[in-house]
C-alpha cells in the first residue's frame, strides 16, 4: 500500500510487517502508516505487534527482583 501525507509517501507491506519509514521494521510495532492501512483494510493492527509487547512478556521482564541503584561512588 502507498500512504501519502502532504509531500511524503510511505510504502507499507502488511504481509512482511514493513514500512519505508522503517519505524514498523525496527520497533516491531505498527507505525502510523501501517495503522492507517490496517484500518482501511479492516484488519486489527494489534495483530501486527510483536509478542514482546504483550502483557505476558512485560510481566516476565519484571518478574525478578530489581535492586535500586546505590550511591554512584559505590
Amino acid at each position: 500500500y502507498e500512504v501519502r501525507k502532504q509531500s511524503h509517501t510511505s510504502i507499507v507491506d502488511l504481509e512482511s510487517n514493513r514500512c519505508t519509514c522503517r519505524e514498523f521494521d525496527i520497533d516491531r510495532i505498527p507505525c502510523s502508516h501501517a495503522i492507517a492501512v490496517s484500518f482501511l483494510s479492516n484488519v486489527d493492527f494489534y495483530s501486527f505487534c510483536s509478542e514482546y509487547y504483550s502483557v505476558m512478556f512485560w510481566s516476565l521482564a519484571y518478574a525478578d527482583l530489581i535492586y535500586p541503584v546505590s550511591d554512584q561512588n559505590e
Side-chain angles (χ1 to χ4, degrees):
Y1 296 90
E2 183 177 282
V3 178
R4 295 181 183 172
K5 183 178 179 183
Q6 296 172 351
S7 63
H8 182 73
T9 300
S10 296
I11 306 297
V12 177
D13 183 355
L14 292 181
E15 289 183 11
S16 63
N17 294 355
R18 300 179 78 92
C19 180
T20 54
C21 77
R22 304 277 296 143
E23 183 180 330
F24 196 7
D25 311 8
I26 294 169
D27 293 339
R28 309 272 298 153
I29 195 164
C31 60
S32 59
H33 314 112
I35 291 172
V37 170
S38 65
F39 179 74
L40 292 173
S41 302
N42 291 322
V43 177
D44 182 20
F45 71 88
Y46 288 111
S47 64
F48 299 108
C49 296
S50 171
E51 63 183 4
Y52 297 117
Y53 291 103
S54 69
V55 172
M56 181 187 73
F57 272 85
W58 279 91
S59 298
L60 289 173
Y62 295 99
D64 293 329
L65 290 176
I66 300 174
Y67 297 99
V69 177
S70 59
D71 184 20
Q72 189 174 13
N73 294 327
E74 294 177 12

